Amino acid sequence: MTELEQQLLAVQDQALAEIQTINDEQSFEAVRAKYIGRKGSLPALMSKLGTVPPEEKPAVGKTLNAVKNAIQKAFDDRADQLKQKKEEKNALDLSLPGRKPEIGHKHPVFLVMDAAVAIFRRMGFIVADGPDIDTVWDNFDALNAPMDHPSRSPEDQFYFNLDKCDYLDKNTILLRSQTSDVQIRTMMSQKPPIRIICPGRCYRRDTPDATHGMSFHQIEGLYVDEHVSLADLKGVLASFARDMFGDKTKIRFRPHHFPFTEPSVEADASCMVCGGAGCRVCKGSGWIEIGGAGIVNPAVFQNVGYDPEAVSGFAFGLGIERLAMIRYGINDLRLLYDNDVRFLQQF
Ligand code: DAH
């Protein structure tokens, strides 16, 4: 091997080792200039090629090319490595502010439901629960609904297995149409006195529109003891309405009919928007309906094995969506269930 070749290989060794230690662009340029820049050691050796005897030239030229290529490749590889390192570092830039995960909140229907439950609990009611799928007996029969009551129609209810079952059979099951079934379940399993509320979901085969959905929520109330009167009912609902809608809210009863109460009433609260003077929300009447109520029908007590001579009670059922619409001034019930985050974020 010629001396020039030895020098070339020595430069190659030195360059390859040094290239591995490069860690930034500045030193990259400096090392590059040192070995392959115009005044670098490799061009210096190349210029000596002219002094090599002709018979040795091919071998030395070959070595020279190999060394040049090896050093160039080492620089290219190192440049790639540094680029990749930089990208990795950027991908995990610890100085960037963190991304905040979107955190949701309770749905307006449940905000109102929770508020209503809290108010009744302060009055001494405890929360009772029942399944969404119940029997015809709990949902209709025990609640004294006559066999020909229109609400029993399969066109109005979600019955199960009607190909095999009769919708009038007490054992047929359906998605409950009201939370009043929990009155029955509770009285069947407990002795009086009873003071419960039952917040829950109900289902009816209604075509959805601005005030109807095929699924909605109610809060049911039942109070059974000795000498319970309509005045007690009015006191409880008035107290609830004041807590829910404001101090000045009043309650009025209008006569109505429900199979499970006698007498039955529809309860209105004085309009919380206009204070009773009449406005668009209350359609000029000054009053807004909040639910049905009444004195428990003795026939219901008989159905659950209570003595109607010994106890009396009141019951009520309030529509939660309705309360939410009043409380938040929502004019279309469907907005509550479209799941448009822009709408839901407002509450
Ligand atoms: N269950 C009735 C309905 O869904 C509401 C109702 C009215 C419940 C009177 C009651 C009540 O407990 O006494 O329309």
Side-chain angles (χ1 to χ4, degrees):
M1 195 184 290
T2 64
E3 199 191 322
L4 182 54
E5 280 179 283
Q6 275 170 7
Q7 285 171 344
L8 279 167
L9 292 177
V11 167
Q12 170 176 298
D13 287 349
Q14 205 189 337
L16 294 191
E18 200 167 342
I19 288 169
Q20 287 312 309
T21 67
I22 300 176
N23 266 325
D24 55 45
E25 266 165 52
Q26 258 179 345
S27 51
F28 190 94
E29 283 315 316
V31 176
R32 209 157 82 135
K34 178 171 167 190
Y35 290 102
I36 55 177
R38 249 179 342 112
K39 294 184 182 150
S41 30
L42 199 59
L45 291 176
M46 277 160 83
S47 66
K48 289 189 185 165
L49 194 61
T51 65
V52 174
E55 65 277 12
E56 286 173 11
K57 257 189 188 158
V60 179
K62 221 172 133 191
T63 308
L64 182 73
N65 268 334
V67 169
K68 209 171 94 186
N69 288 340
I71 292 178
Q72 186 59 54
K73 183 171 181 303
F75 274 118
D76 290 348
D77 288 352
R78 192 64 190 163
D80 280 349
Q81 282 169 4
L82 290 178
K83 196 173 148 214
Q84 203 182 337
K85 250 195 190 160
K86 200 170 154 189
E87 275 169 5
E88 276 168 17
K89 208 172 130 209
N90 284 347
L92 214 140
D93 184 347
L94 297 178
S95 67
L96 276 177
R99 283 195 202 102
K100 222 175 168 184
E102 290 251 6
I103 297 176
H105 62 75
K106 276 196 177 152
H107 191 277
V109 165
F110 281 82
L111 290 173
V112 170
M113 183 125 111
D114 289 354
V117 167
I119 294 170
F120 284 118
R121 285 184 58 167
R122 279 202 294 277
M123 286 191 255
F125 288 83
I126 61 167
V127 174
D129 202 7
D132 288 19
I133 298 175
D134 208 346
T135 60
V136 163
W137 196 79
D138 284 329
N139 196 78
F140 292 122
D141 300 345
L143 285 163
N144 196 40
M147 280 301 181
D148 60 356
H149 197 278
S151 69
R152 291 190 185 240
S153 162
E155 279 170 19
D156 288 339
Q157 305 297 343
F158 293 106
Y159 290 101
F160 289 79
N161 304 327
L162 275 199
D163 47 334
K164 288 182 229 108
C165 307
D166 180 356
Y167 73 91
L168 293 174
D169 184 327
K170 66 181 167 68
N171 296 316
T172 297
I173 52 174
L174 75 161
L175 290 174
R176 68 174 176 198
S177 64
Q178 50 189 352
T179 44
S180 306
D181 62 336
V182 181
Q183 291 188 30
I184 302 303
R185 289 179 160 268
T186 308
M187 288 191 282
M188 292 296 285
S189 65
Q190 290 171 39
K191 296 226 167 323
I194 282 184
R195 190 155 39 174
I196 55 150
I197 49 166
C198 167
R201 193 167 184 179
C202 314
Y203 307 83
R204 287 180 203 174
R205 287 183 66 176
D206 277 328
T207 306
D209 64 20
T211 52
H212 295 84
M214 51 169 207
S215 151
F216 54 96
H217 298 78
Q218 291 185 333
I219 185 160
E220 189 82 14
L222 174 68
Y223 183 28
V224 182
D225 206 338
E226 291 169 10
H227 313 300
V228 177
S229 75
L230 213 54
D232 297 320
L233 170 63
K234 198 164 183 181
V236 164
L237 288 184
S239 180
F240 166 77
R242 283 195 298 269
D243 249 5
M244 192 79 177
F245 300 118
D247 281 351
K248 300 212 169 67
T249 314
K250 292 193 189 64
I251 284 285
R252 79 168 181 189
F253 286 163
R254 281 176 293 114
H256 201 72
H257 172 78
F258 297 105
F260 33 87
T261 43
E262 183 58 42
S264 303
V265 300
E266 269 190 330
D268 295 341
S270 56
C271 181
M272 25 329 252
V273 178
C274 63
C279 68
R280 262 189 29 212
V281 175
C282 59
K283 301 198 181 79
S285 75
W287 297 93
I288 290 181
E289 185 196 322
I290 58 168
I295 293 295
V296 179
N297 193 319
V300 174
F301 284 146
Q302 248 151 14
N303 290 339
V304 298
Y306 282 11
D307 178 359
E309 298 298 326
V311 292
S312 55
F314 67 69
F316 57 84
L318 314 176
I320 305 276
E321 278 79 358
R322 205 182 160 73
L323 297 180
M325 288 169 78
I326 298 169
R327 180 160 169 161
Y328 296 124
I330 299 166
N331 58 11
D332 191 324
L333 180 126
R334 288 166 293 192
L335 288 168
L336 290 170
Y337 294 110
D338 283 347
N339 277 343
D340 186 331
V341 173
R342 290 166 305 177
F343 171 79
L344 295 172
Q345 268 169 346
Q346 301 175 81
F347 304 99

